[in-house]
Every structure is written in C-alpha cells, then in structure tokens.
C-alpha cells in the first residue's frame, strides 16, 4: 500500500456530522466549541479524521456513536467539501453527513461530556470553516427528503400530536403550513394512526396522540406532503 503513489501529495480526509433535533417547535443543530487548533474555541460541528482501517461511512458511524452513544441512527451523506482554504491547518477534504435523532434520547450527561448543545438552526453563531454551508446543504436535502419519505418521525417521540407534526414540517421547511390542508392530507395516510391517548401536557384542551405505523407504511408507501 505504501509503495504506490508516493510521488503524489497526501491529503487528509475527515467526516463532519450534522445532527438535527426537534424541540420546542424549533429545528435544532447539535454543535460545540472546537477543542483543537486551528480554530480552537470556535463553534463547530462534531467530526473527526477517517482512519486507515475504515471507510468514510464507517468513520461517520463511529463519530456519531462517539458523540451520542446511539446505533441505528438515520444518517445520510450530504457531500464533499474541499475548498483549498477551508482548513488553515492542512489540506483537508471533509465528507459531511446529516443525522436525525430525538433530542429526548440524547442524555444530558453525554452533552456535558462532549461540550455540545442544541442550537436553533435559525440562530446559529458564526462557525468554523464551512460548517454553516454544510448545515445549509443538509437542511436543503432534508427538506426534499421529508416531502416524499416519513423521515420526520425520527425527530418526534413515538406518540405525538398533529400540531407537533405540523410544527415539525414548518420548522424543517422554514414556512407556515395551512392547518386544514395539512390535517386533511394526514387523515389520508393510514400509517399515521390515531390512538385513544390524550396529550394534556402540551395541549391545554387535550389533543389526541398519534403514532407512525412502519409496517403499514411499508405496505403502502404512498407518502407525499
């Protein structure tokens, strides 16, 4: 492996994880202060370098697990970022991934351990290198995906109200949705099941709780919002 391409410049490859969450009707991003130079102390996504014994997907899975302690998380590649001046420390090409998790599943202990916090996507501070551009592209991809696949349910608890579901789609897309049309479309989807349970915590009047039936979706897959 070492005797080939020795005449070529070596370039570092890293992965960066854009972790989306949904809380208090806002789309959130998990970020923290960079722990190394260059850019030490700047707001940053969580990432790391790809090791010699792993693929880029394996590196992303490892990085996500190191940060969250979670397996089987929905994660998709955003793309490669390789501007010449993106990292003043060295020539680094980064492969960005976005992941969707329920904020309630991520422990406060691990957040404190890694020094990260949930920040409203519309109130992001200045960030290291091209990390804001990564987030922008990831959100655009998710906006497209959430219209044709039920990925949004990965950001919600297992039981949710229709208001919570609507607020999620509004937060992801950055625009309000007509309540009547939205609920009419939801009622046409048999895999979004109404339960007999009532939510009395987030709804003063009490609202029915719903759940996503994955098996019913697999049999139908007629999803478009």
């Amino acid at each position: 492996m070492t005797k080939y391409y020795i005449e070529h410049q070596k370039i570092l490859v890293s992965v960066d994880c854009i972790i989306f969450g949904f809380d208090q009707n806002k789309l959130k991003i998990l970020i923290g202060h960079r722990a190394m130079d260059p850019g030490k102390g700047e707001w940053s996504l969580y990432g790391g370098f790809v090791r010699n014994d792993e693929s880029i997907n394996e590196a992303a899975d490892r990085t996500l697990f190191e940060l969250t302690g979670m397996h089987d998380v929905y994660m998709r590649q955003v793309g490669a970022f390789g501007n010449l001046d993106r990292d003043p420390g060295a020539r680094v090409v980064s492969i960005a991934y976005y992941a969707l998790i329920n904020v309630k599943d991520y422990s406060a202990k691990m957040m404190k351990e890694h020094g990260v916090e949930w920040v409203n996507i519309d109130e992001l501070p200045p960030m290291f290198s091209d990390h804001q551009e990564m987030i922008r592209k990831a959100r655009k991809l998710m906006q497209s995906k959430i219209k044709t696949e039920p990925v949004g349910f990965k950001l919600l608890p297992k039981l949710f109200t229709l208001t919570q579901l609507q607020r999620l789609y509004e937060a992801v897309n950055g625009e309000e949705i007509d309540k009547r049309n939205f609920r009419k479309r939801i009622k046409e989807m048999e895999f979004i099941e109404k339960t007999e349970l009532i939510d009395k915590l987030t709804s003063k009047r009490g609202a029915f709780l719903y759940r996503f039936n994955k098996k019913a979706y697999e049999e139908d897959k007629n999803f478009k919002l």
Side-chain angles (χ1 to χ4, degrees):
M1 183 175 182
T2 58
K3 69 178 182 178
Y4 300 108
Y5 312 125
I6 57 175
E7 72 276 18
H8 295 288
Q9 176 187 350
K10 301 302 185 289
I11 296 176
L12 297 171
V13 179
S14 67
V15 294
D16 282 293
C17 293
I18 304 151
I19 303 175
F20 289 105
F22 180 70
D23 191 34
Q24 298 179 339
N25 295 330
K26 301 293 183 181
L27 185 65
K28 305 290 183 80
I29 298 287
L30 196 63
I31 61 175
H33 291 287
R34 189 170 165 86
M36 67 177 75
D37 283 320
K40 185 175 182 179
E42 293 183 34
W43 286 101
S44 172
L45 295 168
Y46 191 84
F49 290 102
V50 179
R51 298 171 180 170
N52 286 336
D53 61 349
E54 62 185 2
S55 69
I56 56 173
N57 287 345
E58 289 170 340
D61 287 336
R62 172 181 55 79
T63 301
L64 183 66
F65 178 74
E66 288 174 354
L67 178 60
T68 67
M70 298 180 190
H71 286 297
D72 300 322
V73 174
Y74 179 91
M75 185 164 59
R76 295 293 185 272
Q77 190 179 121
V78 177
F81 294 78
N83 285 348
L84 292 175
D85 59 351
R86 67 172 305 275
D87 192 321
R91 182 78 170 95
V92 181
V93 173
S94 183
I95 314 299
Y97 290 77
Y98 78 89
L100 310 180
I101 67 173
N102 184 340
V103 298
K104 305 300 182 186
D105 293 337
Y106 187 42
S107 71
K109 180 181 178 181
M110 292 203 73
M111 287 181 66
K112 184 176 181 180
E113 179 182 335
H114 292 287
V116 293
E117 58 186 86
W118 291 107
V119 177
N120 184 347
I121 194 172
D122 295 319
E123 298 175 357
L124 289 173
M127 298 182 68
F128 176 75
S129 187
D130 48 11
H131 288 192
Q132 284 188 324
E133 176 67 7
M134 291 180 179
I135 293 171
R136 187 190 69 78
K137 289 190 175 182
R139 186 182 192 181
K140 189 173 181 180
L141 287 173
M142 186 167 62
Q143 287 172 342
S144 176
K145 183 72 70 174
I146 203 172
K147 293 177 182 177
T148 58
E149 295 182 25
V151 297
F153 297 104
K154 299 182 183 299
L155 295 168
L156 292 171
K158 291 183 179 180
L159 295 174
F160 52 86
T161 66
L162 291 186
T163 297
Q164 286 177 306
L165 184 60
Q166 180 178 337
R167 294 289 179 264
L168 168 64
Y169 275 81
E170 290 176 336
V172 171
N173 292 307
E175 58 185 18
E176 292 186 5
I177 298 174
D178 181 79
K179 179 178 178 180
R180 183 177 297 179
N181 289 338
F182 182 80
R183 298 203 172 195
K184 179 181 178 181
R185 184 71 186 102
I186 292 299
K187 289 180 179 179
E188 295 173 352
M189 299 178 180
E190 295 184 0
F191 48 83
I192 300 180
E193 297 179 337
K194 182 178 180 181
T195 73
E196 297 302 316
L197 301 174
I198 302 292
D199 171 35
K200 295 183 179 179
L201 294 177
T202 62
S203 173
K204 293 180 180 179
R205 298 171 58 185
F208 280 103
L209 289 166
Y210 289 72
R211 64 185 167 213
F212 172 66
N213 186 322
K214 184 178 180 180
K215 182 178 180 180
Y217 169 72
E218 292 294 335
E219 294 174 353
D220 182 1
K221 288 195 174 181
N222 181 26
F223 186 93
K224 188 174 183 180
L225 275 174

